Amino acid sequence: MQVFRTFEELAKHSQKVCLAIGVFDGVHLGHQGVMGQARDDARVAGGTAVVLTFDPHPLRVLQPDRAPLLLTSTEHKLALIDKLGMDACLLLAFNKPFSLTPPEQFINTVARQTNQLQEICVGTRFRFGHDRAGDVRLIEALAPQCGFVAREIKSVMLGEEMISSTAIRQHVLHGQLDRAAAMLGRPFSILGTVEPGEHRGRELGFPTANLNSHDEVLPPDGVYVVRVIIGSEQFGGVVNIGVRPTFASTQPLRVLEVHILDLARELYDQKAEVLFLSKLRDEQKFPSAEALKTRIAADIGEARQILGRQS
């Protein structure tokens, strides 16, 4: 999937564009419906399926003190969108001046600067423009004069609960990973960068990779069975999230560290996607490093059994 930062770049590499517009944090089943409509219609038209989204998340600019942790960083979001078969993504910089754009002006700009715009697909709850005054009804009203078709994609329900980024975030924060996975259409995951740690795991005989999650939301502290994707390779693993209470610290920091099964090489500065499958136990303080070592070995044995059944 090609990624562009301006309309000019997009226009040089696309035509008969079917456009899906949204913030798309999490790329959940509702988001996938919006993008899937644009993708399928582009195939019929012999055109280009394009996602228009924003960097950073608008709330990081408009309400930085209230902005939630993300389900997906921008890099993670792009990787997930790529898997949906979209041809391109127009990643627009979101800043204070951009936020003041009247919604009518935004749609007119999109229509004027996109090469042969065929349609705009948005979800029912999508809001845009200054003071979030624009919605799907405005897009429908502007569509005839701008020469494109407006498509409203209805919200997706899981039982009686509407699928949304906010709902998924709450499920993750409360450890309800099965519910989050059902709304995402895949296991909840984070995409992080491997960074140097204190080598506690290595000292215990179970080397771990410390992961910088780039402000993505994390489940509650505890030990989890995971799958880890590094490049084109996939491994089983065990993740610990928490403050490592067995080792005294005057300023305990919450960390995510993953022991990757059957992998011995160094991974510093590499990207790793961690897919959460199930929780083994809460984080706990052990009386000694030896007791912790024994429990880690038991956790790994249980994780291998779970991974074996799932494979």
Side-chain angles (χ1 to χ4, degrees):
M1 180 181 73
Q2 294 178 294
V3 178
F4 305 110
R5 299 272 178 172
T6 66
F7 284 102
E8 291 76 15
E9 291 177 356
L10 174 65
K12 292 177 183 178
H13 297 86
S14 63
Q15 58 181 350
K16 293 186 177 180
V17 172
C18 294
L19 194 63
I21 306 179
V23 176
F24 300 132
D25 182 29
V27 193
H28 57 60
L29 289 177
H31 299 152
Q32 292 170 39
V34 176
M35 289 183 257
Q37 184 69 60
R39 179 196 61 220
D40 294 346
D41 291 344
R43 299 294 176 264
V44 172
T48 309
V50 179
V51 174
L52 191 162
T53 191
F54 310 96
D55 180 39
H57 191 293
L59 284 178
R60 293 291 175 93
V61 175
L62 299 175
Q63 298 178 333
D65 295 336
R66 298 177 55 192
L69 292 172
L70 300 175
L71 289 172
T72 47
S73 64
T74 296
E75 183 177 7
H76 193 185
K77 178 167 67 174
L78 291 176
L80 293 169
I81 292 173
D82 186 29
K83 294 178 182 178
L84 299 177
M86 303 301 289
D87 299 312
C89 178
L90 176 56
L91 188 62
L92 294 182
F94 193 95
N95 51 37
K96 281 290 181 63
F98 182 82
S99 74
L100 299 177
T101 305
E104 297 87 354
Q105 180 181 328
F106 174 72
I107 295 301
N108 282 321
T109 298
V110 170
R112 186 176 64 254
Q113 297 194 22
T114 303
N115 192 1
Q116 299 180 57
L117 179 63
Q118 303 294 295
E119 72 176 14
I120 292 178
C121 302
V122 296
T124 295
R125 300 171 67 240
F126 178 61
R127 300 292 183 272
F128 63 96
H130 184 47
D131 287 337
R132 302 179 77 246
D135 59 11
V136 65
R137 302 284 85 86
L138 176 62
I139 298 174
E140 289 174 341
L142 295 174
Q145 66 193 61
C146 292
F148 65 84
V149 173
R151 287 194 181 274
E152 176 185 5
I153 310 303
K154 300 293 186 182
S155 298
V156 180
M157 305 295 293
L158 183 63
E160 297 183 355
E161 186 178 16
M162 181 184 298
I163 294 177
S164 69
S165 300
T166 299
I168 296 169
R169 187 176 296 109
Q170 290 304 308
H171 288 312
V172 172
L173 288 170
H174 289 90
Q176 299 161 339
L177 296 181
D178 288 346
R179 189 73 175 174
M183 290 187 168
L184 290 166
R186 63 180 186 278
F188 169 73
S189 67
I190 66 158
L191 180 67
T193 305
V194 178
E195 297 182 340
E198 298 180 356
H199 304 293
R200 296 286 191 184
R202 189 182 304 277
E203 293 169 4
L204 295 170
F206 304 101
T208 59
N210 281 50
L211 220 60
N212 180 343
S213 62
H214 303 296
D215 291 328
E216 292 190 20
V217 66
L218 294 177
D221 291 355
V223 179
Y224 297 84
V225 182
V226 300
R227 292 195 183 277
V228 184
I229 300 174
I230 302 170
S232 61
E233 299 178 285
Q234 185 171 153
F235 306 89
V238 178
V239 155
N240 182 81
I241 300 174
V243 297
R244 297 178 290 192
T246 302
F247 303 101
S249 174
T250 56
Q251 292 182 313
L253 297 176
R254 192 175 190 229
V255 297
L256 184 156
E257 48 190 354
V258 54
H259 173 69
I260 302 175
L261 305 180
D262 308 315
L263 180 66
R265 68 177 185 266
E266 295 289 355
L267 298 171
Y268 293 141
D269 296 325
Q270 293 189 46
K271 302 292 183 182
E273 184 178 14
V274 177
L275 288 70
F276 288 80
L277 304 184
S278 62
K279 186 175 183 180
L280 290 177
R281 60 177 176 85
D282 292 335
E283 187 181 46
Q284 63 189 95
K285 183 175 182 179
F286 290 88
S288 66
E290 193 62 32
L292 173 58
K293 181 178 179 179
T294 299
R295 186 53 190 264
I296 292 174
D299 292 338
I300 291 173
E302 187 175 351
R304 287 189 183 277
Q305 292 181 8
I306 293 172
L307 291 164
R309 289 197 296 268
Q310 293 195 355
S311 64

